[in-house]
Amino acid sequence: MERYLTVDGHQVYSYEWDNNGEAVVLLHGGLSQTAHWADQIVPSLDGYHVFGYDRSSHGLTSYREESINFKYQVREAIAYLETVVKEPAHIVGWSDGGIIGLFLAIQRPDLVKSLVSIAANFHYTGTVPEFEMNPISDEDRAEYAEYSPDTPETLDRIHAHFHQMWKSEPDIPLSDIAKIQCPVLVMAGDDDVIQHEHTLELFRALPLGQLAIVPGTSHILPKEKPGLVNLLITEFLEDLSYPITKMPFRRTNPTE
């Protein structure tokens, strides 16, 4: 089911796949939309009630000048969970969606059962120094003109806002990440724009973290290795218990 819903006082384009099971909410990346990855991941989540939405200034949800910052986007996510999902959910977030998932787990742990954080940074310095935003391509403009409810030139404003935002956001203290009490799967590509050292810092700060570096992939890992990425996500969701390993080193297995 696809439709516009009122969330946080404005219209948001929402997706809902009517399967039985616990709620899973998909959070797309920045300058992206739910449709860019829903077809790839939703079939693997057939045992869950899956939701997704295009954040303000993304996809089929109209541009709002005040929306391109994480404070606003987290508020919108909280409102979506409270008014649409109406139950605690497993969050699967890619890039900016993973960052929003971290904020949710810190600020509203009552709404988050678990988190899959894909190619997400907790601090704006976490990207490789060479990373720069790609210019707007002809394909980007054509897609925007087809799907967006806004005028074509709005895309330039959105890109300019993101260019500024990613210079100063996010900025999540590791001390806050250490307070996250739900299970978290941290995932990244082995050729990701997020520095490996940064991803490791995130993983090490999490009390209930698990780590997956997906071989042969970049920041677009859900599309480059969909079978492997989906398998990691579904196996994580199927067993959220504390991992018991045969040779524990960083983890301490519970005593019997």
Side-chain angles (χ1 to χ4, degrees), residues 36-50:
H36 283 169
W37 71 319
D39 289 344
Q40 173 264 306
I41 189 172
V42 170
S44 295
L45 298 170
D46 59 355
Y48 298 89
H49 190 173
V50 184

Side-chain angles (χ1 to χ4, degrees), residues 14 41 51 78 207 217:
S14 176
I41 189 172
F51 298 81
I78 291 170
T217 63

Side-chain angles (χ1 to χ4, degrees), residues 55-133:
R55 296 192 293 279
S56 290
S57 306
H58 292 79
L60 282 84
T61 300
S62 63
Y63 169 70
R64 297 175 69 84
E65 185 175 1
E66 70 273 25
S67 70
I68 303 177
N69 60 79
F70 284 112
K71 183 178 181 180
Y72 181 99
Q73 292 172 31
V74 172
R75 188 185 81 192
E76 187 175 57
I78 291 170
Y80 186 83
L81 284 161
E82 290 182 332
T83 62
V84 179
V85 183
K86 298 180 181 178
E87 64 178 285
H90 304 283
I91 306 297
V92 180
W94 179 7
S95 193
D96 278 12
I99 295 168
I100 293 168
L102 291 170
F103 276 114
L104 288 172
I106 293 166
Q107 296 180 18
R108 289 298 303 271
D110 57 308
L111 296 177
V112 182
K113 285 187 174 181
S114 71
L115 169 62
V116 179
S117 174
I118 304 171
N121 51 308
F122 61 88
H123 194 272
Y124 60 89
T125 59
T127 56
V128 295
E130 302 82 6
F131 171 68
E132 292 184 3
M133 283 181 61

Side-chain angles (χ1 to χ4, degrees), residues 6-248:
T6 300
V7 175
D8 196 29
H10 60 276
Q11 292 285 288
V12 167
Y13 198 76
S14 176
Y15 299 76
E16 181 177 353
W17 291 266
D18 195 17
N19 299 325
N20 294 322
E22 297 181 340
V24 170
V25 176
L26 305 179
L27 297 177
H28 61 75
L31 294 173
S32 184
Q33 57 183 290
T34 305
H36 283 169
W37 71 319
D39 289 344
Q40 173 264 306
I41 189 172
V42 170
S44 295
L45 298 170
D46 59 355
Y48 298 89
H49 190 173
V50 184
F51 298 81
Y53 67 100
D54 291 347
R55 296 192 293 279
S56 290
S57 306
H58 292 79
L60 282 84
T61 300
S62 63
Y63 169 70
R64 297 175 69 84
E65 185 175 1
E66 70 273 25
S67 70
I68 303 177
N69 60 79
F70 284 112
K71 183 178 181 180
Y72 181 99
Q73 292 172 31
V74 172
R75 188 185 81 192
E76 187 175 57
I78 291 170
Y80 186 83
L81 284 161
E82 290 182 332
T83 62
V84 179
V85 183
K86 298 180 181 178
E87 64 178 285
H90 304 283
I91 306 297
V92 180
W94 179 7
S95 193
D96 278 12
I99 295 168
I100 293 168
L102 291 170
F103 276 114
L104 288 172
I106 293 166
Q107 296 180 18
R108 289 298 303 271
D110 57 308
L111 296 177
V112 182
K113 285 187 174 181
S114 71
L115 169 62
V116 179
S117 174
I118 304 171
N121 51 308
F122 61 88
H123 194 272
Y124 60 89
T125 59
T127 56
V128 295
E130 302 82 6
F131 171 68
E132 292 184 3
M133 283 181 61
N134 292 327
I136 305 172
S137 67
D138 291 341
E139 292 79 6
D140 292 336
R141 292 192 184 280
E143 181 184 52
Y144 190 83
E146 180 180 357
Y147 289 107
S148 176
D150 299 310
T151 56
E153 62 271 15
T154 308
L155 182 58
D156 295 280
R157 276 186 281 168
I158 291 172
H159 263 250
H161 282 310
F162 270 101
H163 184 73
Q164 292 303 314
M165 184 184 93
W166 286 337
K167 289 180 178 179
S168 59
E169 296 186 48
D171 184 1
I172 307 175
L174 283 171
S175 57
D176 285 352
I177 290 171
K179 298 174 185 177
I180 296 175
Q181 292 301 311
C182 69
V184 180
L185 173 60
V186 176
M187 196 184 305
D190 65 358
D191 191 24
D192 210 307
V193 299
I194 308 303
Q195 298 184 66
H196 294 318
E197 294 80 4
H198 190 83
T199 299
L200 284 170
E201 277 192 280
L202 172 59
F203 161 64
R204 288 168 178 157
L206 290 160
L208 299 176
Q210 299 181 41
L211 176 65
I213 301 297
V214 180
T217 63
S218 68
H219 198 63
I220 318 298
L221 61 161
K223 291 191 173 185
E224 293 167 332
K225 292 284 182 75
L228 181 52
V229 168
N230 292 352
L231 178 64
L232 290 167
I233 292 171
T234 54
E235 289 204 351
F236 169 74
L237 292 176
E238 287 168 5
D239 184 4
L240 296 173
S241 60
Y242 188 84
I244 305 298
T245 56
K246 298 295 184 182
M247 295 179 63

